DNA sequence: CGAAAGGTTGAGTGCTGTCAACGTCCGTGG
DNA sequence: CCACGGACGTTGACAGCACTCAACCTTTCG
């Protein structure tokens, strides 16, 4: 029995579109890799292209300007796909935000395999379309929103993300345990760390959120926060 | 003989991955539509989803905040694909920047057809991955660049885009006939019309560009402009 | 417990948005 | 052909938001 059968993301990652035998074949040229928080899986500009799935933990994609200013382009959670199939060069840096485990393939191997499996390509298409939607939604945030709206939007989005297994407190508050530090949030929102900090302080003073510990944020009034996100 | 055989974008649009018989079938539920400059093909939030190809002209995708601030999310030229297959709702407004002609399908029809044609889905995947690259490159611009860098980047990108059939003047200058007005550029770059105007004036005063007519920009020194785009 | 990393707060500056006036281009109609 | 009007673009003054620099505080981990 192969390792994939026991994989945590067997039914959520792209592998879900493959049957046992196909997964077996794909697995032959894939391997798992563990990352410590902050470790880089792939650098922007690298020649060696990796394709993969996040099995556990959180990973970010980022790019930077020539002066070293970073912009986070996306965040991948367990089950999410990372990498750029059918591409020539890596144009994003992939960094672990938490300790993480990923399943990686060499791009060439993966590409060839994908071309032989339309169901996998279809799943890939769906995921890519979703990523494009996310990226474009973020463009609206980066291009048109002020700092207050950006931070509120960010928190609302994270809250929505985990609304499935939401650890809600009796009074309806939502507890967020972020894999992000302040600098990560700043890179994501196109702001500086100081501006993020000030906005979070403002939200706390307004009673909309609490910050019991670093990296933990409690949303006390999600509706009011959503209103902030919409600029009201 | 069907109309597609004579289509200007028969070999550049997604149709290129289909043979005669398949194009015929697809064409059965498609139709052409002419748009005047400024005309809207589809509104953000619309239920009726359209999928299509740009045959002639230029079209933009945009979204806006609740307060009515617009952000352009992408620009589609002849041969480019527009729309969101396998999606529930339109989250972008599609507007003609110039008089344009498009070939449109109902989303449901197109989706069903695509699922039966892996080659088409593969092409669609390639295009979507490319769009995602573009969107992420733009995120870097929107999140990290100042007004001067944004305008310079914009011009350099347009120049590169048409470097194929580039109408270059003897001295190496590049002539750009933009389908964009100042407001369009502002929406694209996440700036105001006034800031765009000031930056263009600054570039003209610095001798890097000329603006012989509205919507025409001549790049006198592409290298220097590229340097500006990189923040030097 | 101590040190380092991470986060907060404050003061000051500068870039970009806002508001307003003016100038220029272009299509229309006399 | 010229005059006109409206759309589009430019320029200026000013204000405010976010960035920079710097000091200080807090949390976390060895």
């Amino acid at each position: 029995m192969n390792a994939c059968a026991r994989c945590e993301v067997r039914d959520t990652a792209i592998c879900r579109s493959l049957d046992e035998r196909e997964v077996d074949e794909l697995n032959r040229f894939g391997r798992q890799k563990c990352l410590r928080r902050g470790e880089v899986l792939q650098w922007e500009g690298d020649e060696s292209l990796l394709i993969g799935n996040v099995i556990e933990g959180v990973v970010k994609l980022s790019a930077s300007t020539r002066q070293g200013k970073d912009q986070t382009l996306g965040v991948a959670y367990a089950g999410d796909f990372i990498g750029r199939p059918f591409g020539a060069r890596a144009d994003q840096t992939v960094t672990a935000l938490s300790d993480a485990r990923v399943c990686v393939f060499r791009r060439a191997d993966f590409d060839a395999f994908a071309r032989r499996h339309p169901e996998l390509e279809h799943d890939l298409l769906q995921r890519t379309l979703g990523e494009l939607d996310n990226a474009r939604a973020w463009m609206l945030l980066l291009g048109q929103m002020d700092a207050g709206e950006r931070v509120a939007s960010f928190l609302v989005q994270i809250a929505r993300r985990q609304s499935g297994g939401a650890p809600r407190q009796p009074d309806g508050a939502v507890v967020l345990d972020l894999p992000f530090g302040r600098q990560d949030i700043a890179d994501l929102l196109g702001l500086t760390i100081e501006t993020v900090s000030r906005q979070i302080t403002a939200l706390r003073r307004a009673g909309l959120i609490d910050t019991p510990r670093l990296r933990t944020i409690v949303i006390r009034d999600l509706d009011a926060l959503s209103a902030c996100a919409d600029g009201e």
Side-chain angles (χ1 to χ4, degrees), chain A:
Chain A
M1 173 172 138
N2 81 53
C4 290
R6 287 188 306 275
C7 180
E8 297 94 313
V9 295
R10 172 70 177 89
D11 299 317
T12 49
I14 42 166
C15 322
R16 70 179 169 191
S17 59
L18 302 173
D19 64 29
E20 287 306 309
R21 212 166 40 79
E22 291 167 329
V23 162
D24 240 26
E25 187 189 346
L26 180 60
N27 191 40
R28 221 168 298 149
F29 39 79
R31 66 200 164 85
Q32 286 206 7
K33 198 163 161 43
C34 288
L35 302 171
R36 311 289 289 272
R37 182 206 280 190
E39 194 173 340
V40 172
L41 176 62
Q42 178 180 258
W43 289 99
E44 189 181 352
D46 271 7
E47 196 60 43
S48 83
L49 264 167
L50 290 179
I51 300 287
N53 289 296
V54 178
I55 299 172
E56 186 186 8
V58 185
V59 152
K60 75 168 176 182
L61 317 177
S62 62
S64 57
T65 63
R66 198 150 303 187
Q67 304 107 16
K69 294 197 273 188
D70 265 41
Q71 176 63 49
T72 295
L73 305 174
V75 179
Y77 300 87
D80 287 349
F81 182 82
I82 51 178
R84 169 60 159 99
F86 312 116
R89 211 175 63 255
D91 45 0
Q92 290 144 34
T93 299
V94 180
T95 313
L97 284 173
S98 64
D99 291 346
R101 223 165 71 249
V102 294
C103 171
V104 293
F105 309 90
R106 285 203 337 228
R107 191 186 59 82
D109 294 337
F110 182 86
D111 287 359
F113 183 86
R115 290 247 44 180
R116 280 182 277 117
H117 295 83
E119 278 304 314
L120 184 137
E121 280 212 333
H122 178 72
D123 194 351
L124 214 44
L125 176 57
Q126 294 266 30
R127 286 169 192 269
T128 307
L129 286 164
E131 281 304 302
L132 186 56
D133 287 344
N134 291 342
R136 287 179 164 165
W138 219 246
M139 286 173 68
L140 187 60
L141 178 145
L142 293 174
Q144 303 296 340
M145 293 185 185
D146 66 26
E149 292 164 4
R150 293 188 201 192
V151 171
S153 289
F154 166 73
L155 293 174
V156 169
Q157 183 181 308
I158 300 280
R160 249 196 280 277
R161 230 203 86 72
Q162 68 165 34
S163 62
R168 281 210 163 196
Q169 295 185 335
D171 57 350
V174 185
V175 181
L176 306 178
D177 277 302
L178 305 175
F180 310 101
R182 292 291 184 272
Q183 184 64 59
D184 296 318
I185 299 175
D187 289 347
L188 203 47
L189 300 179
L191 299 170
T192 58
I193 189 175
E194 295 95 331
T195 299
V196 171
S197 184
R198 277 186 255 270
Q199 294 301 331
I200 287 180
T201 300
L203 289 174
R204 177 160 28 74
R205 296 223 169 109
L208 302 194
I209 64 172
D210 260 344
T211 55
R213 293 181 313 157
L214 296 180
R215 295 186 178 229
T216 298
I217 291 183
V218 178
I219 299 181
R220 292 228 159 284
D221 188 341
L222 186 54
D223 293 338
L225 199 63
S226 297
C228 284
D230 291 338
E232 288 160 12

